[in-house]
Amino acid sequence: MGTFCSVIKFENLQELKRLCHWGPIIALGVIAVCSTVAMIDSVLWYWPLHTTGGSVNFIMLINWTVMILYNYFNAMFVGPGFVPLRWKPEISQDTMYLQYCKVCQAYKAPRSHHCRKCNRCVMKMDHHCPWINNCCGYQNHASFTLFLLLAPLGCIHAAFIFVMTMYTQLYNRLSFGWNTVKIDMSAARRDPLPVVPFGLAAFATTLFALGLALGTTIAVGMLFFIQMKIILRNKTSIESWIEEKAKDRIQYYQLDEVFVFPYDMGSRWRNFKQVFTWSGVPEGDGLEWPVREGCHPYSLTIEQLKQKADKRVRSVRYKVIEDYSGACCPLNKGIKTFFTSPCTEEPRIRLQKGEFILATRGLRYWLYGDKILDDSFIEGLLVE
C-alpha cells in the first residue's frame, strides 16, 4: 500500500477532473459502445470462441481497445509539458528575442505558446484538444497521434464485425416466397442456438454502433492525416499559421527576404524521429530545439515579434451588418457555416448590427478577431 500511495499523488488525482468534460465523456462513450458491442457480437452471434478464428478475432478486439485507451489516457494525463514558471533563457541577451508571459511570469520558450484553457505556457503547442481536455504538445504529441491512428483501425475492425453479424443473423432469418421476402427476428436457424437471441434490440444496437464506428473512422482518420502531414514537416498547427502569415507579410510589403521554416530538418525521417522514439520520450527538453543550417535559433520567435508589431496595422476592421447570437453552430447562418464551424473551444462573440470587429485571421465562413468595445478588445471567434 505504501508503494501504491507513493505513485498516486494528490496532484495526479487532481488530473482526474479532466474526465469531467464533454469531450472525454463523448470520446470514451464512443470507445465503450463500439468495443462492447463488437465483443458481444463476436462472442454470441458471429464467431464463437471455440474456433481459432473466433479466438483470434476476440483477442484482436481486446488489443485494439487496450492500445486505444492507453494512448488516449497518455495524451490526456501525461500532458504536453509546460514551460516552468518564471523560466528565462540561460543567456540573458536571448530575452530580446522572446515574448514575455505575464500570467506565467516567464519568457515563452521557442515553439511554446500560452493556452488560455490550461492557463500555462505549453511547450511546442499544437492545439488545445477538447476531446482529451488538454493541450497537444511536446510530451504527448506521439501518444495523441497514435490514438488518432489506432482509433480508426479499431473502428474498421469493429465495423466489419457489425456488418458480418447483421448479415449472418438476417440471412438465418430470411424466408423467400413467390413474391415476398420475409425476415423473422424471433428465431434463427442456427445450431447451436446462441444463449442470447439476436432480436430487434440487438439489431438496432449493432446498427447504431456501426454508424458510430464509420463516423469515427472518417473523422478521426482525417485528423490523423493532418497530424502526420505537419509531423513530417516538423511543424505544429500554430507554426503552420505563423509561416503562412510570414509569407503573406513579405508579399504585402514586397520585402526582399525569404522566410525559411527553421525546424524542418530537411528529412522526413529526421522530423519523424523528433516525435516518435522507441523509448516513448520525444527528443530534446522542449525548451531548446535544433534548427536547420543557416537559420537563427530564434528565427521563428523573431517572426512572431514582427507579426505582433504588425498586428494592428494588418488587422481588418469590419462593421457588423447582421446580428449573431454567439452560438457554436448557428443554424440560421446557412448550411455551410453550420458544418464548417471550427472544432475549438474558443469563445464565440455575440454581435449586434452596427458594432465593429477587428479580424486578425479567418477561415472561409469564420473569422478570428476582437470585438471593439469602448476602445477595448474582446478576443474570440466570429461568424462571417
Side-chain angles (χ1 to χ4, degrees):
M1 179 62 71
T3 304
F4 179 78
C5 292
S6 66
V7 173
I8 301 182
K9 300 179 182 179
F10 179 75
E11 56 264 27
N12 299 128
L13 295 177
Q14 289 291 96
E15 288 291 307
L16 293 176
K17 291 182 178 179
R18 294 192 180 276
L19 293 169
C20 303
H21 183 267
W22 63 266
I25 291 173
I26 294 176
L28 292 174
V30 171
I31 295 172
V33 170
C34 291
S35 300
T36 303
V37 176
M39 291 179 187
I40 292 175
D41 281 3
S42 62
V43 170
L44 296 179
W45 299 306
Y46 181 41
W47 281 334
L49 289 179
H50 62 260
T51 65
T52 303
S55 300
V56 172
N57 172 71
F58 193 74
I59 292 172
M60 287 181 64
L61 285 174
I62 295 177
N63 185 53
W64 288 126
T65 303
V66 171
M67 290 195 300
I68 289 170
L69 290 176
Y70 174 79
N71 285 283
Y72 179 81
F73 287 126
N74 252 2
M76 178 186 291
F77 294 124
V78 171
F82 301 109
V83 177
L85 298 175
R86 299 178 179 80
W87 179 85
K88 60 181 180 181
E90 295 181 358
I91 304 175
S92 58
Q93 289 83 354
D94 290 345
T95 56
M96 63 182 295
Y97 303 118
L98 301 174
Q99 298 182 55
Y100 185 78
C101 178
K102 295 180 180 179
V103 177
C104 299
Q105 296 182 359
Y107 287 93
K108 295 181 182 179
R111 312 190 78 176
S112 68
H113 303 272
H114 186 83
C115 176
R116 287 183 292 176
K117 291 292 181 180
C118 298
N119 203 32
R120 289 288 300 274
C121 286
V122 178
M123 295 190 292
K124 195 191 174 186
M125 179 178 175
D126 185 82
H127 67 288
H128 184 91
C129 178
W131 303 110
I132 62 174
N133 195 20
N134 206 341
C135 278
C136 174
Y138 164 68
Q139 288 185 351
N140 64 352
H141 203 173
S143 296
F144 180 77
T145 307
L146 286 174
F147 166 73
L148 297 182
L149 170 65
L150 295 170
L153 293 178
C155 285
I156 290 172
H157 185 187
F160 176 76
I161 299 299
F162 299 148
V163 171
M164 295 305 298
T165 298
M166 290 188 291
Y167 169 76
T168 54
Q169 292 303 311
L170 291 177
Y171 179 81
N172 288 333
R173 290 165 171 78
L174 286 174
S175 60
F176 296 91
W178 285 105
N179 298 315
T180 60
V181 178
K182 295 182 179 179
I183 301 177
D184 182 11
M185 296 298 292
S186 61
R189 297 189 299 273
R190 171 180 164 181
D191 188 24
L193 291 175
V195 178
V196 179
F198 190 85
L200 286 174
F203 178 80
T205 302
T206 302
L207 188 62
F208 174 72
L210 175 62
L212 285 181
L214 293 178
T216 301
T217 300
I218 296 173
V220 180
M222 291 176 62
L223 293 177
F224 169 73
F225 282 110
I226 292 173
Q227 284 297 314
M228 283 306 302
K229 182 179 178 180
I230 62 176
I231 286 175
L232 293 177
R233 297 177 180 178
N234 204 6
K235 298 178 183 177
T236 64
S237 300
I238 296 177
E239 290 168 350
S240 296
W241 174 246
I242 294 173
E243 182 183 29
E244 183 180 336
K245 288 198 296 183
K247 294 177 180 178
D248 181 62
R249 180 183 62 83
I250 294 172
Q251 182 180 6
Y252 181 82
Y253 291 111
Q254 297 182 352
L255 302 175
D256 187 20
E257 61 180 87
V258 177
F259 178 79
V260 178
F261 187 73
Y263 302 115
D264 187 349
M265 298 290 99
S267 166
R268 291 185 177 183
W269 175 242
R270 291 180 63 187
N271 293 337
F272 181 84
K273 289 195 300 181
Q274 282 209 352
V275 177
F276 296 96
T277 60
W278 288 110
S279 64
V281 180
E283 291 186 356
D285 59 1
L287 299 174
E288 297 181 358
W289 298 90
V291 295
R292 64 187 303 167
E293 187 177 353
C295 290
H296 191 278
Y298 296 103
S299 58
L300 191 67
T301 56
I302 293 172
E303 176 59 34
Q304 287 179 259
L305 292 172
K306 291 179 181 179
Q307 293 177 9
K308 186 177 181 180
D310 192 41
K311 179 181 179 181
R312 297 305 177 195
V313 178
R314 295 298 315 282
S315 297
V316 182
R317 183 174 177 176
Y318 293 98
K319 184 177 181 179
V320 180
I321 60 174
E322 188 178 335
D323 292 348
Y324 166 53
S325 64
C328 179
C329 300
L331 290 171
N332 60 341
K333 301 299 179 182
I335 298 297
K336 292 182 178 180
T337 303
F338 176 82
F339 284 107
T340 57
S341 178
C343 186
T344 175
E345 291 188 296
E346 289 283 345
R348 271 64 170 177
I349 302 177
R350 184 176 182 178
L351 300 173
Q352 293 183 350
K353 184 178 179 179
E355 294 180 330
F356 290 91
I357 62 172
L358 197 66
T360 56
R361 58 189 176 103
L363 305 174
R364 187 168 184 179
Y365 297 100
W366 293 84
L367 295 173
Y368 289 84
D370 312 317
K371 178 179 177 180
I372 303 175
L373 183 62
D374 297 331
D375 296 327
S376 61
F377 299 94
I378 302 176
E379 295 185 356
L381 190 61
L382 317 160
V383 67
E384 187 175 357

Short mmCIF file of all heavy atoms in Angstrom, two decimals, residues 15 52 61 64 76 92 96 104 113 124 127 139 186 197 207 211 229 233 268 305 317 325 356:
data_model
loop_
_atom_site.label_atom_id
_atom_site.label_comp_id
_atom_site.label_asym_id
_atom_site.label_seq_id
_atom_site.Cartn_x
_atom_site.Cartn_y
_atom_site.Cartn_z
N GLU A 15 -5.79 15.47 -11.60
CA GLU A 15 -5.89 15.37 -13.05
C GLU A 15 -7.14 14.63 -13.49
O GLU A 15 -7.58 14.75 -14.63
CB GLU A 15 -4.65 14.67 -13.61
CG GLU A 15 -3.38 15.50 -13.58
CD GLU A 15 -3.45 16.68 -14.55
OE1 GLU A 15 -3.75 16.46 -15.73
OE2 GLU A 15 -3.22 17.81 -14.10
N THR A 52 -10.73 -21.24 -33.92
CA THR A 52 -9.48 -20.49 -33.92
C THR A 52 -9.69 -19.06 -34.38
O THR A 52 -9.17 -18.11 -33.79
CB THR A 52 -8.44 -21.17 -34.84
OG1 THR A 52 -8.24 -22.51 -34.40
CG2 THR A 52 -7.12 -20.42 -34.80
N LEU A 61 -9.74 -7.66 -30.82
CA LEU A 61 -10.64 -6.62 -30.33
C LEU A 61 -10.16 -6.07 -28.98
O LEU A 61 -10.17 -4.86 -28.74
CB LEU A 61 -12.06 -7.17 -30.21
CG LEU A 61 -12.83 -7.38 -31.51
CD1 LEU A 61 -14.16 -8.06 -31.23
CD2 LEU A 61 -13.06 -6.05 -32.21
N TRP A 64 -7.05 -3.90 -29.60
CA TRP A 64 -7.37 -2.55 -30.07
C TRP A 64 -7.84 -1.67 -28.92
O TRP A 64 -7.41 -0.53 -28.77
CB TRP A 64 -8.47 -2.62 -31.14
CG TRP A 64 -8.10 -3.17 -32.47
CD1 TRP A 64 -8.71 -4.18 -33.14
CD2 TRP A 64 -7.02 -2.74 -33.33
NE1 TRP A 64 -8.09 -4.43 -34.33
CE2 TRP A 64 -7.06 -3.55 -34.48
CE3 TRP A 64 -6.04 -1.77 -33.22
CZ2 TRP A 64 -6.15 -3.41 -35.52
CZ3 TRP A 64 -5.13 -1.62 -34.27
CH2 TRP A 64 -5.19 -2.42 -35.39
N MET A 76 -3.94 12.42 -22.45
CA MET A 76 -4.71 13.27 -21.53
C MET A 76 -3.93 13.58 -20.25
O MET A 76 -3.83 14.74 -19.84
CB MET A 76 -6.04 12.59 -21.17
CG MET A 76 -6.87 13.38 -20.16
SD MET A 76 -8.34 12.52 -19.61
CE MET A 76 -9.31 12.53 -21.11
N SER A 92 21.20 35.76 -20.90
CA SER A 92 20.25 36.85 -20.66
C SER A 92 19.96 37.67 -21.91
O SER A 92 18.86 38.21 -22.07
CB SER A 92 20.76 37.75 -19.53
OG SER A 92 22.04 38.30 -19.87
N MET A 96 15.77 39.20 -25.59
CA MET A 96 15.31 40.19 -26.57
C MET A 96 14.59 39.53 -27.75
O MET A 96 13.84 40.18 -28.48
CB MET A 96 16.50 41.00 -27.09
CG MET A 96 17.53 40.18 -27.84
SD MET A 96 18.97 41.16 -28.39
CE MET A 96 18.19 42.26 -29.56
N CYS A 104 2.32 33.50 -16.61
CA CYS A 104 3.29 32.54 -16.09
C CYS A 104 4.53 33.22 -15.51
O CYS A 104 5.38 32.55 -14.92
CB CYS A 104 3.73 31.57 -17.19
SG CYS A 104 2.37 30.60 -17.89
N HIS A 113 3.61 28.35 -26.55
CA HIS A 113 2.54 29.34 -26.62
C HIS A 113 1.69 29.21 -25.36
O HIS A 113 1.61 28.13 -24.76
CB HIS A 113 1.67 29.14 -27.86
CG HIS A 113 2.43 29.20 -29.14
ND1 HIS A 113 2.69 30.37 -29.82
CD2 HIS A 113 3.02 28.20 -29.86
CE1 HIS A 113 3.38 30.10 -30.91
NE2 HIS A 113 3.61 28.80 -30.95
N LYS A 124 6.03 23.47 -27.31
CA LYS A 124 5.71 23.01 -28.66
C LYS A 124 4.20 22.78 -28.80
O LYS A 124 3.73 21.71 -29.21
CB LYS A 124 6.47 21.72 -29.00
CG LYS A 124 6.46 21.41 -30.50
CD LYS A 124 6.97 20.01 -30.77
CE LYS A 124 6.83 19.64 -32.24
NZ LYS A 124 7.18 18.23 -32.50
N HIS A 127 -2.21 22.41 -30.39
CA HIS A 127 -3.56 22.95 -30.21
C HIS A 127 -4.11 22.44 -28.89
O HIS A 127 -3.57 21.50 -28.30
CB HIS A 127 -4.49 22.51 -31.36
CG HIS A 127 -4.77 21.04 -31.39
ND1 HIS A 127 -3.81 20.11 -31.77
CD2 HIS A 127 -5.88 20.33 -31.08
CE1 HIS A 127 -4.34 18.90 -31.69
NE2 HIS A 127 -5.59 19.00 -31.27
N GLN A 139 5.25 16.68 -25.08
CA GLN A 139 5.33 15.38 -24.42
C GLN A 139 4.30 14.37 -24.92
O GLN A 139 4.57 13.16 -24.92
CB GLN A 139 5.18 15.54 -22.90
CG GLN A 139 6.38 16.18 -22.23
CD GLN A 139 6.24 16.21 -20.71
OE1 GLN A 139 5.18 15.90 -20.16
NE2 GLN A 139 7.31 16.58 -20.03
N SER A 186 -37.68 -13.49 -34.63
CA SER A 186 -38.00 -14.20 -33.39
C SER A 186 -37.14 -15.45 -33.20
O SER A 186 -36.95 -15.91 -32.09
CB SER A 186 -39.48 -14.59 -33.35
OG SER A 186 -39.77 -15.46 -34.45
N PRO A 197 -30.72 -14.49 -27.78
CA PRO A 197 -31.22 -14.38 -29.16
C PRO A 197 -30.95 -13.01 -29.75
O PRO A 197 -30.95 -12.00 -29.05
CB PRO A 197 -32.72 -14.64 -29.00
CG PRO A 197 -33.03 -14.26 -27.58
CD PRO A 197 -31.81 -14.62 -26.78
N LEU A 207 -26.58 -1.77 -35.33
CA LEU A 207 -26.65 -0.76 -36.40
C LEU A 207 -26.19 0.60 -35.90
O LEU A 207 -25.46 1.33 -36.60
CB LEU A 207 -28.08 -0.67 -36.93
CG LEU A 207 -28.30 0.20 -38.18
CD1 LEU A 207 -27.50 -0.38 -39.35
CD2 LEU A 207 -29.78 0.29 -38.51
N GLY A 211 -22.82 2.83 -37.13
CA GLY A 211 -22.79 4.25 -37.50
C GLY A 211 -21.71 5.01 -36.75
O GLY A 211 -20.98 5.83 -37.34
N LYS A 229 0.94 14.97 -41.53
CA LYS A 229 1.45 15.92 -42.50
C LYS A 229 2.34 16.96 -41.83
O LYS A 229 3.43 17.28 -42.32
CB LYS A 229 0.27 16.61 -43.22
CG LYS A 229 0.69 17.59 -44.29
CD LYS A 229 -0.52 18.19 -44.97
CE LYS A 229 -0.12 19.21 -46.03
NZ LYS A 229 -1.30 19.82 -46.70
N ARG A 233 6.78 17.43 -41.48
CA ARG A 233 7.42 18.72 -41.78
C ARG A 233 7.96 19.38 -40.51
O ARG A 233 8.45 20.50 -40.57
CB ARG A 233 6.40 19.64 -42.45
CG ARG A 233 5.90 19.12 -43.79
CD ARG A 233 4.85 20.04 -44.37
NE ARG A 233 4.36 19.53 -45.67
CZ ARG A 233 3.41 20.11 -46.39
NH1 ARG A 233 2.85 21.23 -45.95
NH2 ARG A 233 3.02 19.60 -47.53
N ARG A 268 12.24 13.87 -43.87
CA ARG A 268 11.01 13.45 -43.20
C ARG A 268 11.29 12.46 -42.09
O ARG A 268 10.62 12.46 -41.05
CB ARG A 268 10.04 12.84 -44.22
CG ARG A 268 9.46 13.84 -45.21
CD ARG A 268 8.42 13.17 -46.11
NE ARG A 268 7.83 14.14 -47.02
CZ ARG A 268 6.85 13.86 -47.87
NH1 ARG A 268 6.39 12.61 -47.94
NH2 ARG A 268 6.37 14.80 -48.67
N LEU A 305 7.44 38.19 -33.25
CA LEU A 305 7.52 39.56 -32.75
C LEU A 305 7.20 40.56 -33.87
O LEU A 305 6.53 41.57 -33.64
CB LEU A 305 8.91 39.83 -32.17
CG LEU A 305 9.27 39.08 -30.88
CD1 LEU A 305 10.73 39.29 -30.54
CD2 LEU A 305 8.38 39.54 -29.74
N ARG A 317 -10.70 45.86 -40.14
CA ARG A 317 -11.84 46.29 -39.35
C ARG A 317 -13.12 46.10 -40.17
O ARG A 317 -13.20 46.49 -41.31
CB ARG A 317 -11.68 47.76 -38.96
CG ARG A 317 -12.80 48.30 -38.07
CD ARG A 317 -12.50 49.70 -37.61
NE ARG A 317 -13.58 50.26 -36.82
CZ ARG A 317 -13.54 51.44 -36.22
NH1 ARG A 317 -12.46 52.18 -36.33
NH2 ARG A 317 -14.56 51.87 -35.53
N SER A 325 -25.89 35.46 -32.55
CA SER A 325 -26.19 35.11 -31.16
C SER A 325 -25.00 34.60 -30.38
O SER A 325 -25.05 34.50 -29.15
CB SER A 325 -27.31 34.06 -31.12
OG SER A 325 -26.87 32.85 -31.74
N PHE A 356 -18.46 46.99 -34.32
CA PHE A 356 -17.25 46.84 -35.12
C PHE A 356 -16.38 45.71 -34.56
O PHE A 356 -16.33 45.51 -33.34
CB PHE A 356 -16.45 48.14 -35.16
CG PHE A 356 -17.11 49.23 -35.95
CD1 PHE A 356 -17.97 50.13 -35.34
CD2 PHE A 356 -16.87 49.35 -37.32
CE1 PHE A 356 -18.59 51.13 -36.07
CE2 PHE A 356 -17.48 50.36 -38.06
CZ PHE A 356 -18.33 51.25 -37.44
#
